[in-house]
Amino acid sequence: MDTREWALIVFTILGQLAAGSMLALMIVRAYATTKAGVKEADRMTDGPLFMVFPIMGVALLSSLLHLNNLKNIVGAVPNLATSWMSREVVISVAFMVVVFVYTLLQWRKIGSPVLRDVIGWIAALVGVAQVYAMGLVYMIRTQPSWNTVATPISFMVTALLLGALAVAIALVVNYNAIQKKDASTAGKQAELLRSALQGIAVAVIVLLGVEFLVLPLYMAYLGTYAAESLKVLTVDYGMTLALRLIFVFLGAGVLAAYLYRNASTAGKEKTLAVLVYCAFLLVLAAEVMGRFLFYVSHYRFDTLI
C-alpha cells in the first residue's frame, strides 16, 4: 500500500470514530438528562464532547494526503450531484462545522438546553450521513470486493464500535476529574457512569454479533464473485485476518462482558477504567487491520459478467 492508501485508512477510521462518538455522546446525554436533569448531563458529557472536533480535524487533514491538496477538496463540490466522493467530502466538512458550533454553544452555554440538544442531534445525524457516504464511495461495479452491502454495514459498525468505546473512555476520564475536584458531589455521576457503561457494553456486544454475522456472508460472496480477493484475505494475509478477529472478539466480546458485570457494582471505577482502555485499544487495532485488509484485497475488473 502507498501513502495515499494509508491516508485513507486514517481518514476513514478517524472520521467514523468521530461520527460514532458524537452519536454515542448524544445518546448518553439523553439518558443522563432523563435520569438526573440537564445540569448532571452537562457535567457528564461536556468534557467528553471536546474530543470529537479534534479527531475529525485530524481525519480531514489526513484526507489531504490522499487528495494531494486543498484545491482537490474545493474541486469536489461541483460534482456533488453525481459523485459520492464529492458528497463524502462535503458532508465531512459539514459534520466538522456543526460539531464545532455545538461544542461552542455547549461550552459557553449559549441558547437554551433544548436548542443546544437539537444542534447536537443534527451533528450526530450528519455524522451518520458521513459514514453512509463513506461506504457508498466504494460501491463500484468494477470493484466486486467493495461493491457489496457489507461495505456500508462494516463502516457503520466500525463507527459505532469505536465511538461507543471512545466515549466510555472519555466518561471514565471525566468522572475521575469530577471526583478529584469534589468527591462529595461525585456520587450521582458514579451512578450515571455505571449505567452508561453497562449500556455501552451491551451495544458493543450486539455490534460484535453483527460484525461476525456479516463476515462469513461477505466471504461467501467473495468466493463467488471475487476469488482473488478471497485468496488475499485468507492466504496472503490470513494471519492478519485471524489477529483482527481475535482482537475484536476479546475487546468487544470478552472485555465488554466483564465491563457490564463490573459496572453493576459500586466502587469498581478503577477496574472499569482498565477494561474500557483495553477494550478500545483491542478494537481499534482490529478495525485498523480490517480497514487495511479492505484496501489490499480489492481487485479491479474492467468487465463483469
Side-chain angles (χ1 to χ4, degrees):
M1 291 179 64
D2 61 25
T3 301
R4 294 180 66 192
E5 287 179 310
W6 279 109
L8 280 176
I9 291 178
V10 175
F11 168 63
T12 56
I13 290 289
L14 291 185
Q16 290 159 25
L17 167 59
S21 297
M22 191 67 223
L23 180 60
L25 269 175
M26 291 309 299
I27 293 173
V28 169
R29 178 174 177 79
Y31 169 78
T33 301
T34 301
K35 288 293 183 180
V38 172
K39 184 177 180 180
E40 291 295 334
D42 285 346
R43 293 180 72 200
M44 186 178 194
T45 61
D46 278 1
L49 175 62
F50 282 95
M51 73 176 180
V52 181
F53 182 79
I55 291 173
M56 193 61 213
V58 174
L60 284 177
L61 286 175
S62 69
S63 70
L64 291 176
L65 294 176
H66 174 66
L67 293 171
N68 291 327
N69 56 57
L70 187 61
K71 290 181 180 180
N72 289 333
I73 293 181
V74 176
V77 177
N79 299 320
L80 191 60
T82 58
S83 170
W84 274 106
M85 182 174 291
S86 298
R87 294 166 189 162
E88 173 194 44
V89 171
V90 172
I91 294 173
S92 295
V93 173
F95 173 58
M96 188 173 179
V97 171
V98 181
V99 167
F100 175 79
V101 171
Y102 175 63
T103 303
L104 178 63
L105 295 180
Q106 194 62 26
W107 174 41
R108 304 300 298 175
K109 296 296 181 283
I110 300 172
S112 67
V114 173
L115 173 63
R116 297 197 301 270
D117 281 349
V118 167
I119 295 174
W121 278 109
I122 290 173
L125 293 176
V126 174
V128 171
Q130 172 193 239
V131 178
Y132 179 72
M134 284 181 175
L136 291 194
V137 165
Y138 298 97
M139 302 288 281
I140 306 168
R141 289 191 68 251
T142 55
Q143 300 280 11
S145 64
W146 290 350
N147 191 33
T148 164
V149 71
T151 297
I153 290 176
S154 65
F155 278 22
M156 195 63 69
V157 169
T158 296
L160 297 177
L161 270 177
L162 292 179
L165 289 172
V167 166
I169 290 177
L171 292 176
V172 168
V173 171
N174 185 70
Y175 169 76
N176 288 336
I178 291 173
Q179 189 180 45
K180 288 179 180 179
K181 184 176 181 180
D182 188 358
S184 64
T185 64
K188 189 61 179 179
Q189 286 293 309
E191 180 183 337
L192 290 173
L193 173 66
R194 292 195 302 272
S195 297
L197 291 181
Q198 282 191 307
I200 287 172
V202 171
V204 166
I205 292 171
V206 171
L207 290 167
L208 176 67
V210 173
E211 194 161 88
F212 273 48
L213 175 64
V214 170
L215 181 62
L217 297 176
Y218 175 64
M219 302 286 272
Y221 166 86
L222 291 182
T224 303
Y225 298 102
E228 287 294 333
S229 295
L230 181 62
K231 176 181 176 296
V232 171
L233 285 177
T234 58
V235 179
D236 298 345
Y237 291 95
M239 183 60 69
T240 303
L241 177 61
L243 283 176
R244 165 178 156 51
L245 295 177
I246 292 170
F247 280 11
V248 75
F249 176 74
L250 290 176
V254 176
L255 292 184
Y258 277 107
L259 178 64
Y260 180 88
R261 189 176 71 177
N262 282 275
S264 64
T265 306
K268 291 189 174 183
E269 284 75 19
K270 291 184 178 179
T271 301
L272 296 177
V274 173
L275 288 171
V276 296
Y277 279 118
C278 292
F280 175 77
L281 290 175
L282 284 169
V283 172
L284 177 61
E287 295 305 319
V288 170
M289 285 189 283
R291 195 57 46 83
F292 168 81
L293 292 172
F294 176 79
Y295 285 113
V296 300
S297 64
H298 78 91
Y299 274 84
R300 181 179 181 87
F301 292 89
D302 293 327
T303 59
L304 295 176
I305 297 176

